[in-house]
Amino acid sequence: MPTTVRRTAVSIPAADLGPENPLPALRPLDELHRLDLKDREGLPADMARQLGYAPLRSVLPVRVLDGYGRDRAPAALDALVIENDRIRATVLPGLGGRLYSLVHKATGRELLYRNPVFQPAAFALAGAWFSGGVEWNLGATGHAAHTCAPLHAARVPAPDGGEMLRLWEWERLRDLPFQIDMWLPADSDFLYVGIRVRNPHERTVPAYWWSNIAVPETDRTRVLAPADAAWHFGYSRTLSHVPVPAPDGATDITYTTRSEHAADYFFDVADTDRRWITALDGEGHGLVQTSTDLLRGRKLFLWGHGRGGRRWQEWLTEPGTGGYLEIQAGLARTQLEHIPMAADSEFSWLEAYGPLAADPALVHGDDWTAARAEAGGRLEAALPRATVDAAYTAWLAHADTDPKDLLATGSGWGALESERGHFHLPGTPFPATTLGDPQKPWLELLLAGIFPRPAADAPPGPALVSPEWRELLESADTYPGNEWFRDYYLGIAQWAAGDRAQAVRSWERSVAAHPSPWGLRALAVAEADAGQTDRAADRYLAAYDSLRATFTALPDRPDVRRALIVEAVPVLLAAGRAADAERVLADPDPAPEDDRHGPDCGRLRLLRAQTALARGQVAEARALFDEGFVVEDLYEGAEALTDTWYAIAERLVAGGGPVTDDIRTRARAEHPLPAAYDFRMRPETVP
């Protein structure tokens, strides 16, 4: 059959994504994948430079997506299928262009881990993320901000004359347009993916890309790559160079179920070696990924067999459906690095995904060199390196072809940036017809030089923070009496740029003119970040009181109330203001009982347990855990459940006395952490 691109739907149980968090993402990232300066000593010079280059301070201007729950209902997700006689690839354009499934029709094998449900979890830079398939990560260390957002999609001619699927969008963390072109050459067992990232600005921009591939995990699955060493990064935030396959001389980490704790292994592939990585089952069958040389890095991520890793696997899918591991490919050697991308330049490369069959006796033998040589040789026979390089050259000649047959629509942010910068981006059009309500205030600023009025009885809309938009804000006119509104947004842009003092001055002007909950909350974040906990607590209380005055019926906007409470209560507790925290949590205007933002949502129940503990109500705190609750937006590496449980246990064992090392040890023995609350991703340490 000729290669085709067609629409379809993926019918699976799915949780609702819910609304975006209405508060701008001012708080600093709690970044797991970052090293201290002292830990960079002795690393290769280019790696050390890139490890410290332009880390994100926050995810501004993107809004955090944390309004999802864990109740799933049957849903039909929009999908696009690329198919020839041998391969069928299914893509979800509304969810970051995720390659959801890759079926080798000749054998009937699903080559990817295909999640049987859609269940968001707080793993992405901007919150919601889901496991499975192949995810396209651009922006900064972590899962992309657009991983649960829609992309533009269209059908375009492929290099061989068939059909090709193009996906594209404007990545907002770094202001970079990108495209992903997928096609299947006639009679090919491999899906080709051409990727281009462009920097249209007159300034250098930090670049980051990792293709994240989920594959099924069994006790016999082995991951192979052309390397004898790797950079190991664990959740204790250390980076070390270790031998492969057995870093400790005993545990073979290429069999991922043999490790106890979650970890990253970035294979140290030599500059001259072909780039590839594969995961093969006990019979020597599985998926292989290869690319042109620009995509340098290769990584293995494993959950481990510890209780925390198994709990996360259940959390992200359906219990009993089997686990997964990740093999990945990126621009740098590790995911902790960002690469300078010169003004008016682009990065492009070609990836290929397909089946691999190798001799299981060699793949699973004790000789690592023979195992990887077997896999590499089988790949070269199935898809020569020269063929991939030639396909990349052929694709580049088609990368600028303008799409005509649109299949899906992304956001309007690319259209707004194209209008502002007058960018010429052949192949990835951002038409003015995609501009919507989020972009309209900024379009007015751009075209008329006037910052618009605030909407009545509604939170402020999304902010823009790039240097170009900051300049427009600084010179903008305002409608009389609305200067506070412009200063509020100007402060956000200054904060995003790291100009904290100027941001605080802008917010102070805004609050002096109009004490809005938004400006007060922004000042609270700034003061908490500066270690001024008492002042931050006062600001949060003022913001909450202002919120109640702004919204006459808080149940109509439970997302606003919850967002502010989730930020305010930890600061109030840190300031020793447990009574104030209890007052905020006991607000008489609860959301509807069935709302995920209501008083019974798991995040608020955890905060109530922590507040009860701070007030000395240890039994009440423990009762909340014993009743059971689920923190829907639990994020990767979070230890709040573990820490709170053991803090309660220590107080129970101490019985009002001091908490000593002996008490801590007894507490862990007498009150073991229930499995439902165990999401630990690193070895336990006792204070």
Side-chain angles (χ1 to χ4, degrees):
M1 63 179 287
T3 299
T4 59
V5 176
R6 58 182 172 85
R7 286 190 176 96
T8 187
V10 170
S11 297
I12 56 174
D16 182 17
L17 272 174
E20 293 178 335
N21 189 308
L23 303 178
L26 301 176
R27 291 186 296 169
L29 285 174
D30 184 16
E31 178 51 63
L32 293 171
H33 301 87
R34 186 174 296 174
L35 293 178
D36 292 334
L37 284 172
K38 61 180 177 61
D39 294 324
R40 299 173 196 164
E41 297 177 4
L43 298 178
D46 62 333
M47 180 186 288
R49 285 194 304 272
Q50 291 171 177
L51 285 170
Y53 174 58
L56 281 185
R57 298 182 181 92
S58 71
V59 297
L60 288 169
V62 176
R63 291 284 182 93
V64 172
L65 194 58
D66 61 358
Y68 51 84
R70 293 192 60 81
D71 293 331
R72 297 190 285 265
L77 306 179
D78 290 337
L80 301 169
V81 170
I82 314 161
E83 188 169 14
N84 67 3
D85 278 335
R86 306 192 60 80
I87 290 285
R88 181 172 62 252
T90 304
V91 176
L92 304 178
L95 293 168
R98 183 74 60 100
L99 178 57
Y100 175 72
S101 169
L102 188 65
V103 175
H104 186 224
K105 295 163 68 174
T107 60
R109 293 179 180 272
E110 170 62 70
L111 301 178
L112 300 172
Y113 171 73
R114 184 170 59 191
N115 199 329
V117 301
F118 172 68
Q119 177 56 64
F123 275 49
L125 288 166
W129 173 84
F130 64 106
S131 63
V134 182
E135 175 190 16
W136 317 107
N137 292 305
L138 170 65
T141 300
H143 296 284
H146 60 260
T147 195
C148 284
L151 304 189
H152 302 282
R155 189 184 287 112
V156 295
D160 63 353
E163 293 185 340
M164 180 165 67
L165 172 63
R166 174 162 299 161
L167 303 161
W168 73 99
E169 242 306 353
W170 194 280
E171 201 287 318
R172 301 183 63 213
L173 296 180
R174 304 298 197 183
D175 270 336
L176 299 175
F178 67 96
Q179 73 186 76
I180 304 167
D181 289 354
M182 302 184 191
W183 79 101
L184 290 162
D187 301 320
S188 174
D189 281 332
F190 284 83
L191 174 71
Y192 287 175
V193 183
I195 297 172
R196 178 167 63 169
V197 180
R198 290 188 272 198
N199 177 12
H201 305 291
E202 297 178 354
R203 51 186 165 87
T204 299
V205 175
Y208 172 96
W209 183 283
W210 281 80
S211 300
N212 182 2
I213 309 149
V215 295
E217 179 185 58
T218 71
D219 290 343
R220 292 287 290 159
T221 302
R222 192 177 203 188
V223 174
L224 301 106
D228 293 317
W231 294 95
H232 167 247
F233 185 82
Y235 285 80
S236 56
R237 305 192 187 192
T238 58
L239 185 67
S240 57
H241 200 248
V242 299
V244 172
D248 62 359
T251 304
D252 187 334
I253 56 92
T254 64
Y255 292 97
T256 56
T257 60
R258 298 182 184 179
S259 296
E260 183 175 359
H261 298 288
D264 298 331
Y265 290 92
F266 300 96
F267 291 104
D268 195 358
V269 180
D271 290 344
T272 56
D273 283 347
R274 183 178 185 180
R275 277 70 160 137
W276 59 268
I277 189 167
T278 185
L280 302 177
D281 64 17
E283 297 176 348
H285 295 284
L287 175 129
V288 66
Q289 186 271 1
T290 187
S291 71
T292 48
D293 287 352
L294 183 68
L295 202 67
R296 176 182 188 178
R298 292 299 184 274
K299 171 192 166 182
L300 161 64
F301 168 76
L302 55 89
W303 284 107
H305 65 75
R307 197 168 71 163
R310 295 198 307 271
R311 181 73 176 108
W312 274 120
Q313 293 256 30
E314 295 174 352
W315 185 259
L316 296 171
T317 183
E318 278 288 305
T321 56
Y324 74 95
L325 60 91
E326 293 172 0
I327 53 176
Q328 303 184 23
L331 284 175
R333 277 177 289 195
T334 74
Q335 285 176 334
L336 288 68
E337 302 169 67
H338 299 92
I339 298 174
M341 189 176 185
D344 195 25
S345 68
E346 66 179 48
F347 290 154
S348 62
W349 62 92
L350 184 79
E351 302 183 40
Y353 295 81
L356 190 68
D359 183 346
L362 291 173
V363 165
H364 297 289
D366 294 333
D367 189 334
W368 169 252
T369 300
R372 64 185 186 89
E374 165 67 5
R378 296 288 183 141
L379 170 61
E380 186 65 22
L383 184 66
R385 186 177 190 178
T387 300
V388 174
D389 291 340
Y392 169 66
T393 301
W395 166 69
L396 281 180
H398 292 75
D400 284 351
T401 302
D402 280 330
K404 303 297 182 184
D405 187 6
L406 296 179
L407 300 171
T409 303
S411 77
W413 296 112
L416 182 66
E417 293 296 338
S418 294
E419 177 69 22
R420 184 200 57 75
H422 304 289
F423 299 127
H424 178 58
L425 299 168
T428 55
F430 295 99
T433 54
T434 60
L435 291 166
D437 289 339
Q439 292 83 39
K440 285 180 180 178
W442 299 96
L443 189 63
E444 182 177 352
L445 171 63
L446 179 65
L447 299 180
I450 299 176
F451 202 69
R453 297 182 176 91
D457 204 29
L464 292 178
V465 300
S466 71
E468 296 82 2
W469 286 107
R470 176 178 171 177
E471 289 180 10
L472 289 170
L473 281 168
E474 289 172 338
S475 60
D477 291 328
T478 62
Y479 293 98
N482 290 314
E483 292 83 1
W484 73 270
F485 197 54
R486 189 274 314 274
D487 286 338
Y488 169 69
Y489 277 98
L490 178 58
I492 295 174
Q494 292 162 337
W495 183 262
D499 196 349
R500 304 300 176 91
Q502 285 283 23
V504 168
R505 282 192 284 271
S506 294
W507 289 329
E508 286 176 339
R509 284 197 309 272
S510 176
V511 167
H514 178 70
S516 70
W518 328 117
L520 290 164
R521 175 260 177 178
L523 286 170
V525 172
E527 287 160 349
D529 185 59
Q532 299 171 341
T533 309
D534 289 334
R535 294 183 62 181
D538 288 337
R539 294 282 195 188
Y540 269 120
L541 288 174
Y544 194 74
D545 291 339
S546 176
L547 180 69
R548 290 195 53 77
T550 300
F551 288 91
T552 57
L554 275 179
D556 292 341
R557 288 306 304 259
D559 56 326
V560 181
R561 175 182 180 273
R562 178 188 184 276
L564 191 54
I565 289 175
V566 166
E567 281 191 23
V569 168
V571 175
L572 291 168
L573 294 178
R577 308 271 287 272
D580 288 325
E582 187 175 57
R583 176 176 71 83
V584 170
L585 285 165
D587 191 290
D589 260 343
E593 291 183 1
D594 61 347
D595 192 280
R596 66 177 64 95
H597 299 102
D600 287 330
C601 85
R603 176 65 62 183
L604 295 187
R605 288 176 67 85
L606 174 59
L607 291 174
R608 283 206 292 275
Q610 293 170 336
T611 300
L613 180 63
R615 300 212 71 187
Q617 300 163 352
V618 183
E620 290 85 343
R622 175 59 180 264
L624 285 164
F625 273 87
D626 291 342
E627 290 169 7
F629 59 87
V630 172
V631 181
E632 298 88 348
D633 57 341
L634 197 67
Y635 58 88
E636 180 183 11
E639 298 180 350
L641 285 169
T642 304
D643 292 345
T644 305
W645 171 271
Y646 282 136
I648 294 169
E650 289 163 4
R651 297 281 292 276
L652 289 172
V653 173
V659 176
T660 63
D661 289 344
D662 179 62
I663 291 294
R664 292 189 178 98
T665 301
R666 283 180 53 201
R668 280 156 175 75
E670 296 175 15
H671 300 271
L673 180 69
Y677 299 128
D678 192 349
F679 293 88
R680 289 172 292 187
M681 300 178 72
R682 62 186 177 94
E684 181 180 2
T685 56
V686 179

